[in-house]
Structures are given as structure tokens and as C-alpha cells.
Amino acid sequence: NLISAILSIFRSIFHTFYAAFDTLFATASGLLRSIADLMSGFVGFVLGNIVIIGFLVAAFVGYSAYQQKAGRNKRGGLKTS
């Protein structure tokens, strides 16, 4: 009876640690899965709107080149030197 009680205590301690690690690993895997889903959604968004994003980048580069060619600094005024 005493040995059974001692074994039961060790079994309970083992199950407690096992449940804690199982919960920890389940949480970590859920977090990684959520991050992967988020990244796939972001990549899908970028690929779905690549034409619009490309147009915006080209417009920004063109505007920057125009500003540089016109002799304006970054604040929009004329260069003094």
C-alpha cells in the first residue's frame, strides 16, 4: 500500500511535467503556424498587387530623379551652392 502510494506520487509528478512540456510545445507550434500563415497572406497580397506596387515604386523613382535633375534638395527648395 505504501509502495503504491509512492509510485502514485511519482506518476503524478511525471504527468504534471509531461503536461507542462506538452502545452509548451503545442503553444510554440501554434505560434510558428500562425506566423507562417501570416507570411503566406502577406506574400499573397504582394503578389496579387504587384502591378500597383511596381507603379508606385516607378512613380517614386521618377519623381526623385526629376527632383534631382531640377536641382532641388530634399525639402523642395532650390540648392544654394
Side-chain angles (χ1 to χ4, degrees):
N1 194 11
L2 180 64
I3 295 175
S4 174
I6 292 172
L7 288 176
S8 177
I9 290 171
F10 282 122
R11 190 177 307 127
S12 296
I13 292 171
F14 173 76
H15 284 296
T16 301
F17 281 116
Y18 177 76
F21 283 118
D22 186 46
T23 303
L24 179 69
F25 288 131
T27 303
S29 68
L31 178 66
L32 290 176
R33 190 175 303 118
S34 297
I35 290 172
D37 289 342
L38 178 68
M39 291 306 294
S40 70
F42 178 73
V43 169
F45 171 78
V46 169
L47 291 177
N49 295 303
I50 194 74
V51 172
I52 295 170
I53 293 169
F55 175 76
L56 290 174
V57 169
F60 176 74
V61 169
Y63 179 75
S64 296
Y66 169 75
Q67 288 288 48
Q68 201 171 31
K69 190 180 269 190
R72 300 176 190 255
N73 63 15
K74 292 186 182 194
R75 291 182 293 182
L78 293 175
K79 287 186 178 177
T80 57
S81 56

